[in-house]
Amino acid sequence: MPPRPTYALALAGVVRRYSEGESALEILRGVDLAISQGQSVALVAPSGSGKSTLLHIAGLLEHSDEGEVFIAGRPTARLADAERTRIRRQHIGFIYQFHHLLGEFSALENVAMPQMIRGLSHKEANARAKDLLTYLGLAARLTHRPSELSGGEQQRVAIARALANAPRLLLADEPTGNLDPKTSDHVFGALTELVQATGVAALIATHNLELAGRMDRRVTLRDGKLVELA
Ligand SMILES: Nc1ncnc2c1ncn2[C@@H]1O[C@H](COP(=O)(O)OP(=O)(O)OP(=O)(O)O)[C@@H](O)[C@H]1O
């Protein structure tokens, strides 16, 4: 028998309910998904269909009510919160619609910080942060604070920060949703290039079908289940 592939992310039978008064609203009704290392997947689904919920569960920020989430082959549902946090820090990078950078720190510091939290020296963390920011065209913006950067630049710093710890899995929730079409296109181009260059697995929620077309696969949520699109 061939060896079972180890997916960067695998979801099996994921169910999530929210209580609504007396009744329960079932948002995810048995979601299955497997993403290999190096593969990029766009999640294109209507507002309110459960995209953010799914990303939070995949990123171990939220628990599912049923089902299992495997990160790099390891089941996580029954792990203690401290261990889930450790796995998240080690293996997962996040990009949100709004950059969530720390306002009092420079671009370089924002990208270096997660690496120092993981134990890298100041020098190593700064060197990697500088490389990533330079790759993203921000070599002349290293010492700028977020408020001194444009929206597209802020989002590129957020991309660098998400990839700073060389995660296996990148999760992004409308990463260009806050940008004008031209900047969005530019930032998305930088993101897809880095996804390819680093070999990270990526699950990216977007409303933009053209941008989704540049990913390896496209999936949607239909009646709480994940469906593969052409
Ligand atoms: N904590 C919560 N308690 C109750 N209901 C919730 C909670 N979080 C989300 N929901 C509901 O679950 C549904 C899915 O929400 P979610 O944010 O995952 O959708 P989405 O597809 O990301 O939407 P959008 O594209 O608008 O961001 C929505 O109807 C929302 O109101």
Side-chain angles (χ1 to χ4, degrees):
M1 212 163 60
R4 256 182 70 206
T6 301
Y7 295 107
L9 170 69
L11 306 177
V14 166
V15 172
R16 183 70 172 112
R17 303 180 192 96
Y18 292 119
S19 55
E20 221 185 26
E22 298 281 282
S23 58
L25 189 66
E26 206 163 71
I27 301 297
L28 304 177
R29 302 178 164 196
V31 167
D32 299 318
L33 172 69
I35 306 182
S36 314
Q37 210 58 60
Q39 199 172 48
S40 59
V41 180
L43 173 57
V44 190
S47 183
S49 58
K51 297 185 297 296
S52 300
T53 304
L54 181 60
L55 288 169
H56 288 164
I57 290 172
L60 311 185
L61 290 166
E62 205 177 305
H63 277 279
S64 63
D65 293 301
E66 290 172 33
E68 187 54 276
V69 176
F70 299 88
I71 304 290
R74 186 164 174 210
T76 60
R78 282 174 191 76
L79 296 177
D81 283 348
E83 185 58 9
R84 285 166 60 90
T85 301
R86 199 192 63 74
I87 292 174
R88 184 165 62 244
R89 288 205 179 127
Q90 184 175 0
H91 291 306
I92 307 175
F94 284 94
I95 307 170
Y96 301 94
Q97 181 169 354
F98 299 98
H99 58 76
H100 292 301
L101 298 169
L102 299 172
E104 65 273 35
F105 294 102
S106 69
L108 189 78
E109 288 165 337
N110 265 285
V111 180
M113 211 170 303
Q115 303 174 75
M116 290 195 265
I117 291 170
R118 274 204 61 212
L120 250 68
S121 72
H122 195 264
K123 196 173 159 198
E124 287 169 309
N126 275 350
R128 179 165 165 80
K130 195 171 165 190
D131 281 352
L132 274 167
L133 288 166
T134 302
Y135 189 96
L136 286 161
L138 294 170
R141 298 284 184 278
L142 302 181
T143 57
H144 288 53
R145 292 182 182 197
S147 61
E148 298 162 341
L149 299 171
S150 71
E153 288 169 343
Q154 289 167 350
Q155 209 53 341
R156 279 185 276 156
V157 177
I159 292 170
R161 182 189 51 182
L163 292 170
N165 279 335
R168 282 166 176 263
L169 175 65
L170 178 70
L171 299 171
D173 199 350
E174 294 284 348
T176 61
N178 191 31
L179 305 173
D180 65 74
K182 192 159 163 253
T183 311
S184 162
D185 199 63
H186 192 160
V187 168
F188 209 87
L191 176 58
T192 43
E193 243 177 62
L194 256 181
V195 165
Q196 274 168 8
T198 58
V200 70
L203 178 60
I204 300 178
T206 179
H207 283 292
N208 189 321
L209 289 175
E210 200 256 311
L211 298 181
R214 299 192 208 162
M215 308 271 95
D216 295 326
R217 286 162 58 197
R218 281 145 294 284
V219 296
T220 192
L221 279 165
R222 215 167 274 159
D223 297 327
K225 298 211 171 184
L226 211 77
V227 180
E228 206 85 23
L229 296 170

